[in-house]
Each structure stands twice: as structure tokens, then as C-alpha cells.
Amino acid sequence: MFNHSLYMSRCVQLAQNGFGNTYPNPLVGSVIVHDNSIIGEGWHQKAGEAHAEVCAINSVKQVELLEKSTLYVNLEPCSHFGKTPPCADLIIEKKIPRVVIGCVDPNHRVAGRGIEKLISAACEVVSGVLEEEAIKLNRRFFTFHQKKRPYIILKWAVSEDGFIAPQNQLSGQPFWITNKLSQQLVHLWRTQEQAILVGTHTVIKDNPKLDARLVSGNNPIRVVIDRDLKIDKNFHVYSGQVKTIFITEKNPPISDENLKYEPADFGKELVSQILEILYKHQIQSVIIEGGAETLQHFINANIWDEARVFTGAVIIQKGIRQPDFYFSPQEEKIIGSDTLRIYYKS
């Protein structure tokens, strides 16, 4: 008797080890089971490197057992040549008789073809095991391929009296509402998502680096809305250290490797144009970090997937009000003196 859910849960757990490192590929984990024992497992660690099924197969010490085993994987095995050969071909080559899959791959290059190839080779295929959990794991990947836009996370910090910034904030000097623990958590999030987006006023007021310097991990792509290209070239967003995309309606300079300029018509609806630009750059997830006007654009357009809102233990009295956002949180966490509320758009 096969405990499909148990082994699929392990695939999901393994897949999470690649969070933030696999873009544009999905998060995938795989286990190989013989006689109710796991004899191999692996996960996709980085784009361009071996896929989860390959890692799992290569980890099996008694290779003769593969012909009597079941391979579990949370996402349909690929059937096309990309940077690596098709995983479905390797499974067939190794004569693995049974494959259990969490969910079908939404990428049009796969989208059921991996399953068809396995069945055509007389492999028994079971799909839809822990399907909801498997899709949730790769909600960024699914959003990108099905909705043709990145997964959108809104994020801001607000004082106890409802402000996100003081009235007389000095230019280039950030004002911290949250504590150090919350700031570190935000930097961890930045390593997990592919891009971070801010508006002109946020850059001019805070001169942010928009990096993940407080933790170990990848820095996100920076996306800056700068209609008139008025941000000073000495600001951190022009450092050239990571890919940075400026969205503008001015005639921009010529783009180079890390500084990209994308045109937009600011007289028309802006959110859809921003999303088209991010999709063009193959960005699967983005954190919208401010300011209030930029956040409100996405809220008003009703185009967002998550919102993460910190309330810090400070009183500002006069300043910039937080966005109008009338939803109920699904999660609430206490982080030192701060409260984090997380909202999911149904």
C-alpha cells in the first residue's frame, strides 16, 4: 500500500530548499521509494543545474532498485530540452515503472506532455496528489504562466497612528518604523522574491539600497518608477551592482547590462504597463515596497496577491497616511515590538 501523501509532502519540503535560487524555474523536490523506504531524494537547487528528478536518481546507491521503484515529484517532469535534458526521458531510460505527480506544469512547453511521454513508455502515472499544496508551493510560477504577470506582494510599515512616513522627513534619510528583527525579515523576503519595486518619492526620501545586506542570499532586481528621470545619479539605485529597471516616459539613455530603461505612458493606466514590462523581463515575483501612491495604484486596480503590513510601536502624528486598504488579515505575528499582518487575495 502506497502512502502517496506522505512522500509527496516530503517532495514539497525538499523543494522549499531552493526558494529564491531557481528563478525562472519552479521549486521542485523528488523522492524515490522502494518497498516503502526512501532510497533517493533531491531538489532543484539553481536554474541551469540538475532538476530534482535527476538529483534524486543520482542519489540512489543501489541503481538496480530503480526498475522496482516509484518516483515522486511535486511538479510534472519536463519533456523538453532547455538548459538540461528532459527529465521524462531519464525516467524512461532508467525504467522506473511508476511516477506520482503533485500537479501538472502550467508552462506551455510542458503542460501535460511530460505525463503523455511517460504513459506512452508504459510508465504508470498517478497525478493530483496533494495538488493544492503543490500549486501553492509554486504560486509564483503558476501566476506567471497562467496570468502572464508576476506574483505581487504589497509591503509597507505603518505607525500606530496610521502613517508610513513623517511630514518633514529629510531627503536621503530613511525613517524606521519597524525594529531590527522586522528589518531583517524583510531582507530575507528580498532574497526569496525576484524583484522589488518602488516609486520616485520613496527613492528621493530614503535613498534605499533595496538589497538583502542583512542576510545571506540573492539581491532582487530593482524596479524604479521615475517618470521624469529626476532621481540623482549618485543615489544607490544607480550603483549598477544589480539589474535595475527604470520605468519612465522621458527619452532615456541607452540601457547597459545592469541599467535598463523601459518606456511607459503615464497618462494612461500604469499598473498594466508595469506588469507587461516585468513579464517581458521574465520576473515571476515582485515586492511593491512603496510609497503610498505606488501601493495605492495596485490596490485600486485590485491587482495583488499578498499584502504584508507591519505596525511599529511609534507615533508620528503628522505625515503620509498609509494606503486605503480594507481587508481582513489571514495571519498575524508578533515580532518584538512590531505586529505583522499578512493578507491573501482570494
Side-chain angles (χ1 to χ4, degrees):
M1 188 70 181
F2 294 97
N3 193 338
H4 291 330
S5 295
L6 175 66
Y7 298 125
M8 189 60 65
S9 181
R10 177 58 178 164
C11 291
V12 170
Q13 183 184 37
L14 288 167
Q16 290 171 339
N17 290 325
F19 200 7
N21 294 315
T22 64
Y23 296 116
N25 295 345
L27 297 166
V28 186
S30 180
V31 299
I32 298 173
V33 177
H34 175 263
D35 197 19
N36 288 320
S37 294
I38 294 177
I39 61 171
E41 60 181 29
W43 68 91
H44 183 42
Q45 299 183 23
K46 188 177 181 180
E49 296 184 1
H51 288 188
E53 301 94 319
V54 177
C55 293
I57 289 170
N58 289 342
S59 74
V60 175
K61 291 183 170 57
Q62 293 179 273
V63 293
E64 67 276 6
L65 295 180
L66 288 173
E67 297 183 17
K68 305 173 184 177
S69 299
T70 300
L71 183 144
Y72 290 80
V73 62
N74 59 283
L75 190 72
E76 175 185 6
C78 62
S79 56
H80 64 286
F81 281 89
K83 292 184 179 179
T84 59
C87 291
D89 287 359
L90 180 64
I91 293 168
I92 294 166
E93 177 192 328
K94 297 297 182 181
K95 299 180 181 178
I96 298 173
R98 184 182 297 104
V99 177
V100 179
I101 297 165
C103 60
V104 175
D105 193 325
N107 187 339
H108 69 90
R109 294 184 298 175
V110 186
R113 293 183 180 89
I115 292 174
E116 290 176 3
K117 181 175 277 193
L118 292 171
I119 292 174
S120 296
C123 179
E124 179 187 345
V125 177
V126 178
S127 61
V129 176
L130 293 188
E131 184 175 32
E132 185 176 337
E133 189 174 343
I135 292 172
K136 182 180 179 181
L137 169 71
N138 275 307
R139 54 193 180 273
R140 294 154 181 81
F141 186 74
F142 273 78
T143 298
F144 182 80
H145 286 284
Q146 292 178 337
K147 297 184 178 181
K148 309 302 180 187
R149 66 163 176 84
Y151 187 85
I152 298 166
I153 300 170
L154 309 179
K155 175 262 166 184
W156 69 89
V158 59
S159 66
E160 288 183 354
D161 54 347
F163 297 95
I164 65 170
Q167 189 174 50
N168 298 315
Q169 182 181 344
L170 294 174
S171 179
Q173 298 294 321
F175 178 86
W176 296 109
I177 291 175
T178 55
N179 60 42
K180 294 292 185 182
L181 289 174
S182 296
Q183 292 166 32
Q184 189 174 34
L185 176 60
V186 170
H187 282 227
L188 175 63
W189 291 344
R190 290 177 180 178
T191 69
Q192 296 169 343
E193 309 306 334
Q194 206 169 357
I196 181 171
L197 183 148
V198 293
T200 309
H201 297 305
T202 297
V203 175
I204 291 174
K205 285 290 185 183
D206 295 345
N207 189 18
K209 294 182 179 179
L210 304 176
D211 61 12
R213 61 192 177 279
L214 298 181
V215 297
S216 175
N218 297 322
N219 289 318
I221 296 168
R222 300 182 294 203
V223 183
V224 180
I225 302 170
D226 190 1
R227 179 175 185 170
D228 299 314
L229 291 180
K230 63 183 182 181
I231 296 172
D232 193 284
K233 296 295 192 298
N234 292 322
F235 275 53
H236 294 309
V237 291
Y238 276 103
S239 68
Q241 293 177 339
V242 297
K243 181 178 177 179
T244 304
I245 303 167
F246 290 89
I247 299 175
T248 180
E249 68 176 11
K250 291 287 186 181
N251 290 326
I254 298 174
S255 297
D256 61 27
E257 183 178 358
N258 272 349
L259 290 177
K260 308 292 183 183
Y261 295 91
E262 291 287 354
D265 186 345
F266 282 70
K268 296 181 179 179
E269 198 278 321
L270 190 58
V271 169
S272 60
Q273 296 179 75
I274 292 171
L275 296 182
E276 286 176 9
I277 290 167
L278 299 185
Y279 184 77
K280 168 188 170 183
H281 284 268
Q282 300 290 294
I283 292 172
Q284 290 186 13
S285 68
V286 59
I287 304 175
I288 313 294
E289 283 216 9
E293 183 180 348
T294 301
L295 289 160
Q296 197 69 60
H297 278 307
F298 282 86
I299 295 167
N300 291 348
N302 200 30
I303 301 178
W304 58 278
D305 299 289
E306 287 185 37
R308 302 173 182 177
V309 183
F310 291 94
T311 301
V314 298
I315 301 293
I316 292 179
Q317 295 184 333
K318 290 183 179 181
I320 300 172
R321 283 279 179 187
Q322 71 169 324
D324 294 327
F325 187 74
Y326 305 107
F327 296 88
S328 299
Q330 281 78 34
E331 297 179 30
E332 186 170 305
K333 302 176 183 179
I334 302 300
I335 305 174
S337 56
D338 299 337
T339 301
L340 170 62
R341 295 177 178 87
I342 301 179
Y343 306 76
Y344 297 96
K345 188 166 175 284
S346 56

